[in-house]
């Protein structure tokens, strides 16, 4: 191995491993060692019930459904529509479902088709030839990860498997072994203290804050206000034609009446959520220096047009109130809703409060901001402001590249699975057959 | 219409090129230089380009930036996708990677060597019962702790995070560390040690853990962290204050040193006195040197009485006995031998370098200079320049300056005392209500020359009457000072008259 000493050695040894990163909004898949995932497909999928007769939910086997909430589960024989042309194409009677809830996979029945679509249809590779690294949320249950291992080994016949924590992987993607990872996803926000590549479970905090932000934005748009009526969140799939109208004037459009009847409630909800998200991403923002109504007003309005043709200028007050939900809750909201998700500063405070005093300096000096939700305009600056108010020495690592920010977990997995020293950690098929499910918790700490 | 090449040449005064026939051979080598047709251009197109557009043709050639490094004796390296055996794995998983074709297929995996395990401390049941019994720890919990430490490679933060012993008490990080290190220390102490004592001590030192100290430290850190912003601000302010005080002290010390240095010179005992060779030192040096060099050497037998302001007077150097012969020789050739001061010859400050006599013309003190120059001006003497600076002249001049200075100083002292007398008188008059009518005198400062005489007489008598209650001694003192001043003032106008 003389040659390795002369050339730069990154400790990498690629074995053509695959990395699968499950998120609430999308499933990322690609080869380890790449810098961006090859396949990014929405986690939401459409399905058509072939026989509307049977209505009983399919039991999910042993212990995979401990949670009380039962999602709309497609029937085993249902026709699934997955991928870029899945839920976004209107189909008569098509429902939309998402196997994820609270950052965890709740419905494993549709996971194999999703993975299969990503690996076989998009990447065109055979999973049986590649070791596979899958990510999981830090609060994943043992049953969940064992079920995932089972799917990979039994259904995809992978030679080796590993399940890694997104918090740890995000820290790795930022080049850090110890970090405080703040991950803002589509449905969940989490704060994860990572030390030497291990999650400190006692300091782990997560909540459904992004959903609250979404709900706030939706309420803002649909409820009539003093200067405009409530906005109809109709997706373009349901609109046959529209006329250009002036700002603030009621829209003039014709609906595709033929489609209205065949539209399911779940698809409608999915499409409306999509419209709200689009609006948030276009006009929403965070005030860097904290909430200041006057300052927000001065920021100026921004124009946005909905698929119906309705268009208006959204004032700074409206735009920044959306982002403000991440950081502060109004007393009125708190009073009316006792189970309000914690704000980001509160999450960080309670997470830091749970960690050892000696670790706090290390963690606060290595804050990693990641997740697509953190791309909210002004979010990183606001977070820096909030944190520097609370703690004296804070250093926030927020990748400027949106791809790195959105797919940080996948990127960390890509780095980890291409390391030469990592290959001893894979759970091989042989070990799986020998030790069974117990090996997963034993190996993936 | 269009200007030909010849026109251009004639305008620019460029010599005519050689005729067509002779130009052929010069073009030939150009053609042969790039004779090879670059890749990627059809032959016909290249022929069209001809020899006239070399820049365009150059674009088609492959860019040659740098010689490619010749790695490993040239030749192509063949790589192959082949499975490898990872020595760090216990099972037979064979993953594949790209490897050089010629290399050993069954060589040890490159990264297996990084799979190092720490040496875990283990104990037997016998050792546990003999040494490691602890009232707050069961053997099962100790085993659990040791397993966790091994599992997480001694990362105690993680061990503490994952520590969930069923039905066990809540353990702090310090508890865990104390138990673990305590057990390890006991094991090492009581086991036969292979190796030297120093090694054993080093290992024991690496395993020491003082729980109380750690807890105290953590409490301190926590108290630091729980300071309110006001406390932090106050602390900062106090720190700034302290820095200011320190700075003040430093400046004060510096000023004091500076003062000492100028006043006492070497005698101040300060370490960093710098001596200048060429008379640029402070005023104290100047006067000292002057006295030694001019006064001391010129008239050693009759030293001029040192002026009142020279605080320190160095011992006058004793003149060396010179033989009669050499004295005669010196007198004949006008040689003056200055004495070298033996006591302070070692320091630079005492050293008088070679100089022209005219450079060392005595100067009045800076504070008195205007008055002295005025005085000399009245005498008709220019003190800035001596026409004939011989030794005797210089000595006389120095004496004159000295006398003038003394005169001015005495005059000043007289003025001051007169002023004092006036003010005291005024106070006295104010105190004695009956003599208010006489109080016109003290209000206006009197002219010293003529006012002194009458003030003297009055003041004397009044002072005596006032100070009847005082002791005789003080009265005498007072009278004496009066008389002195009166004498001096009497001398003042005298001199003036003389001057006039």
């Amino acid at each position: 191995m003389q040659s390795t000493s002369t050339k730069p050695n990154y400790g990498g040894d690629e074995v053509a491993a695959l990395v699968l990163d499950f998120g609430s909004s999308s499933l990322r898949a690609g080869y380890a060692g790449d810098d961006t995932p090859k396949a990014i497909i929405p986690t939401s999928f459409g399905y058509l019930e072939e026989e509307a007769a049977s209505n009983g939910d399919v039991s999910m086997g042993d212990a995979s459904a401990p949670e009380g909430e039962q999602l709309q589960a497609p029937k085993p024989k249902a026709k699934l529509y997955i991928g870029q042309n899945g839920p976004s194409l209107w189909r008569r009677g098509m429902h939309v479902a998402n196997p994820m809830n609270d950052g965890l996979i709740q419905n494993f029945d549709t996971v194999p088709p999703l993975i299969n679509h990503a690996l076989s249809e998009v990447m065109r590779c055979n999973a049986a030839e590649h070791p596979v690294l899958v990510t999981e949320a830090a609060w994943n249950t043992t049953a969940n990860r064992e079920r995932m291992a089972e799917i990979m080994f039994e259904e995809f016949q992978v030679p080796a498997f590993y399940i890694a924590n997104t918090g740890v992987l995000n820290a790795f993607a930022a080049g850090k072994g110890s970090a405080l990872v703040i991950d803002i996803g589509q449905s969940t926000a989490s704060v994860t203290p990572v030390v030497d590549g291990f999650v400190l479970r006692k300091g782990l905090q997560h909540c459904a804050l992004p959903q609250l932000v979404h709900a706030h934005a939706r309420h803002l748009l649909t409820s009539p206000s003093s200067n405009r009526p409530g906005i109809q969140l109709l997706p373009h799939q349901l609109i046959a034609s529209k006329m250009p109208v002036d700002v603030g004037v009621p829209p003039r459009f014709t609906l595709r009446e033929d489609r209205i009847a065949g539209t399911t409630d779940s698809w409608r909800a999915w499409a409306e959520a999509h419209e709200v998200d689009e609006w948030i991403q276009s006009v929403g923002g965070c005030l860097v220096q904290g909430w200041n109504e006057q300052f927000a007003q001065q920021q100026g309005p921004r124009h946005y047009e909905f698929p119906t043709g309705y268009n208006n200028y959204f004032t700074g007050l409206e735009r920044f109130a959306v982002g403000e939900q991440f950081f502060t809750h109004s007393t009125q909201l708190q009073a009316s809703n006792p189970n309000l998700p914690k704000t980001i500063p509160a999450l960080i405070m309670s997470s830091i409060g749970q960690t050892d005093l000696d670790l706090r300096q290390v963690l606060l000096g290595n804050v990693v901001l990641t997740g697509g939700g953190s791309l909210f305009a002004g979010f990183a600056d606001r977070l820096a402001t909030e944190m520097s108010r609370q703690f004296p020495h804070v250093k926030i690592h927020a990748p400027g590249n949106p791809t790195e920010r959105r797919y940080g977990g996948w990127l960390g997995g890509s780095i980890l699975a291409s390391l030469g020293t990592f290959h001893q950690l894979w759970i091989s098929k042989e070990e799986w057959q020998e030790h069974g499910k117990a090996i997963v918790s034993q190996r993936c700490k | 219409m269009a200007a030909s090449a010849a026109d251009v040449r004639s305008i620019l005064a460029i010599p005519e090129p050689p005729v067509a026939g002779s130009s052929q051979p010069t073009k030939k080598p150009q053609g042969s230089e790039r004779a090879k047709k670059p890749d990627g251009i059809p032959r016909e197109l290249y022929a069209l380009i001809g020899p006239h557009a070399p820049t365009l043709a150059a674009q088609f050639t492959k860019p040659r930036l740098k010689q490619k490094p010749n790695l490993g004796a040239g030749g192509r390296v063949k790589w192959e996708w082949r499975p490898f055996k990872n020595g760090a794995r216990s099972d037979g998983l064979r993953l594949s990677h790209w490897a050089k074709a010629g290399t050993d297929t069954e060589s040890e995996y490159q990264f297996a060597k990084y799979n190092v395990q720490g040496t875990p401390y283990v104990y037997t049941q016998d050792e546990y019962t003999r040494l490691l019994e602890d009232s707050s720890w069961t053997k099962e919990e100790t085993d659990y702790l040791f397993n966790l430490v091994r599992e997480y490679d001694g990362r105690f933060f993680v061990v503490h995070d994952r520590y969930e012993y069923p039905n066990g008490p809540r353990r702090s990080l310090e508890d865990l560390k104390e138990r673990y290190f305590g057990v390890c220390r006991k094991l090492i102490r009581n086991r036969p040690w292979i190796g030297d004592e120093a090694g054993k001590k080093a290992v024991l030192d690496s395993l020491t853990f003082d729980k109380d100290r750690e807890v105290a430290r953590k409490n301190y850190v926590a108290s630091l962290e729980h300071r309110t912003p006001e406390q932090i601000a106050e602390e900062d302010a106090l720190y700034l204050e302290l820095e200011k005080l320190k700075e003040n002290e430093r400046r004060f010390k510096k000023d004091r040193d500076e003062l000492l240095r100028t006043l006492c010179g070497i005698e101040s005992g300060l370490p960093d006195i710098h001596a200048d060779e060429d008379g640029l030192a402070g005023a104290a040096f100047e006067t000292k040197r002057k006295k030694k060099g001019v006064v001391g050497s010129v008239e050693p037998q009759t030293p001029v009485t040192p002026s009142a302001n020279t605080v320190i007077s160095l011992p006058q150097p004793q003149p060396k006995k010179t033989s009669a012969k050499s004295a005669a020789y010196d007198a004949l050739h006008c040689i003056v031998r200055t004495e070298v001061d033996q006591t302070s010859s070692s320091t630079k400050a005492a050293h008088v370098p070679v100089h022209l006599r005219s450079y060392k013309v005595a100067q009045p003190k800076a504070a008195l200079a205007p008055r002295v120059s005025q005085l000399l001006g009245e005498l008709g003497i220019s003190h800035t320049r001596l026409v004939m600076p011989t030794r005797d002249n210089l000595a006389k001049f120095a004496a004159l300056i000295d006398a003038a200075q003394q005169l001015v100083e005495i005059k000043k002292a007289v003025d001051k005392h007169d002023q004092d007398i006036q003010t005291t008188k005024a106070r006295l008059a104010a105190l004695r209500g009956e003599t208010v009518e006489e109080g016109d005198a003290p209000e206006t400062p009197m002219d010293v020359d003529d006012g002194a005489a009458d003030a003297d007489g009055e003041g004397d008598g009044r002072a005596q009457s006032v100070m009847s209650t005082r002791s005789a001694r003080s009265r005498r003192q007072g009278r004496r000072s009066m008389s002195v001043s009166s004498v001096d003032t009497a001398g003042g106008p005298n001199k003036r008259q003389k001057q006039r």
Side-chain angles (χ1 to χ4, degrees), chain A residues 272-291:
Chain A
E272 287 183 359
H274 187 75
E275 291 308 322
V276 174
D277 278 340
E278 292 272 316
W279 179 81
I280 291 176
Q281 284 160 24
S282 301
V283 307
C286 281
L287 283 183
V288 174
Q289 294 297 333
W291 183 247

Side-chain angles (χ1 to χ4, degrees), chain A residues 13 199 201 360 426 428, chain B residues 89 91 109 161-162 225:
Chain A
D13 184 21
V199 170
R201 290 183 188 150
R360 291 182 191 174
W426 292 108
S428 68
Chain B
R89 292 192 68 93
D91 65 340
Y109 183 51
D161 184 65
R162 305 290 160 92
E225 213 158 84

Side-chain angles (χ1 to χ4, degrees), chain A residues 339-416:
Chain A
N339 294 327
L340 216 56
K342 281 182 179 173
T343 60
I344 297 290
L347 282 178
I348 294 169
M349 282 304 279
S350 49
S351 175
I352 282 289
Q354 294 292 318
T355 54
D356 195 88
L357 281 166
D358 292 345
L359 277 176
R360 291 182 191 174
Q361 272 313 311
V362 178
L363 293 177
L364 289 171
N366 294 289
V367 177
V368 173
L369 181 64
T370 186
S374 70
L375 287 169
F376 218 86
F379 189 95
D381 293 335
R382 175 65 183 278
L383 184 70
T385 313
E386 291 282 337
M387 288 190 80
S388 58
R389 268 183 207 155
Q390 296 285 344
F391 310 105
H393 307 292
V394 179
K395 198 161 176 235
I396 296 180
H397 175 97
N401 180 353
T403 315
E404 268 181 55
R405 191 88 74 86
R406 291 174 73 189
Y407 309 129
W410 185 90
L411 186 60
S414 165
I415 292 168
L416 182 65

Side-chain angles (χ1 to χ4, degrees), chain A residues 411-444:
Chain A
L411 186 60
S414 165
I415 292 168
L416 182 65
S418 60
L419 287 180
T421 45
F422 173 74
H423 300 321
Q424 67 187 65
L425 285 174
W426 292 108
I427 301 167
S428 68
K429 191 158 191 171
E430 184 187 332
E431 284 172 315
W432 170 257
Q433 281 159 355
E434 192 179 329
H435 300 94
K437 289 177 176 176
I439 187 90
V440 179
S441 312
Q442 211 178 316
R443 191 64 61 79
C444 313

Side-chain angles (χ1 to χ4, degrees), chain B residues 144-173:
Chain B
Y144 176 75
L145 169 67
F146 270 66
N147 275 333
L148 273 184
V149 172
R150 189 168 54 244
E151 198 176 338
Y152 293 108
D153 294 327
R155 292 180 177 92
F156 273 94
F157 291 123
V158 184
V159 169
H160 178 239
D161 184 65
R162 305 290 160 92
Y163 195 88
E164 272 166 9
Y165 186 67
N167 307 321
R170 201 179 148 78
R171 308 270 188 198
S172 71
L173 182 60

